[in-house]
Amino acid sequence: QVQLVESGGGLVQAGGSLRLSCAASGRTVSTYAMGWFRQAPGKEREFVAAISWSGGSKAHADSVKGRFTISRDNGKNTVYLQMNSLKPEDTAVYYCAGSGRSFLAITKSEYDDWGQGAQVTVSS
């Protein structure tokens, strides 16, 4: 099992930037597909971005395309989510997840391991 810990969340004004990090421990995630999801109050957890084990393939939700970028550093066992041009509607708890079963996973059911989440709040 992989333990995932998110960091880098916080409060930012609209138009600002944040970078989330997801540090993995317990085993290497260099062969895992990784992803980010988010959940706003009263809403379902939704897909944000995913990256293949090598980093060669990526997917981003339409709502964040052009503003957010997922990346990974397998040497550091860490995945990142760079968030630019943040909007109030991006406010949510952001979760990192790992999948040992899929090449590029974009649905919750494909993921086996989840972090505890990091709060991102964007003020208008």
Side-chain angles (χ1 to χ4, degrees), residues 38-41 87-94 119-123:
R38 66 186 182 185
Q39 188 166 17
K87 305 175 181 179
E89 51 264 43
D90 294 319
T91 295
V93 176
Y94 284 70
Q119 177 68 49
V120 171
T121 303
V122 184
S123 64

Side-chain angles (χ1 to χ4, degrees), residues 26-41:
R27 61 174 293 175
T28 180
V29 293
S30 60
T31 59
Y32 271 45
M34 300 294 293
W36 289 94
F37 287 74
R38 66 186 182 185
Q39 188 166 17

Side-chain angles (χ1 to χ4, degrees), residues 23-97:
S25 62
R27 61 174 293 175
T28 180
V29 293
S30 60
T31 59
Y32 271 45
M34 300 294 293
W36 289 94
F37 287 74
R38 66 186 182 185
Q39 188 166 17
K43 294 189 176 181
E44 295 284 324
R45 190 171 299 189
E46 64 175 5
F47 169 75
V48 175
I51 189 167
S52 62
W53 69 268
S54 68
S57 295
K58 302 178 183 181
H60 296 82
D62 287 344
S63 59
V64 306
K65 205 168 288 185
R67 300 187 298 122
F68 292 12
T69 303
I70 190 171
S71 63
R72 68 189 299 161
D73 184 336
N74 285 340
K76 295 182 178 180
N77 236 19
T78 302
V79 179
Y80 305 98
L81 184 68
Q82 178 65 45
M83 304 185 293
N84 299 328
S85 302
L86 282 160
K87 305 175 181 179
E89 51 264 43
D90 294 319
T91 295
V93 176
Y94 284 70
Y95 296 91
C96 174

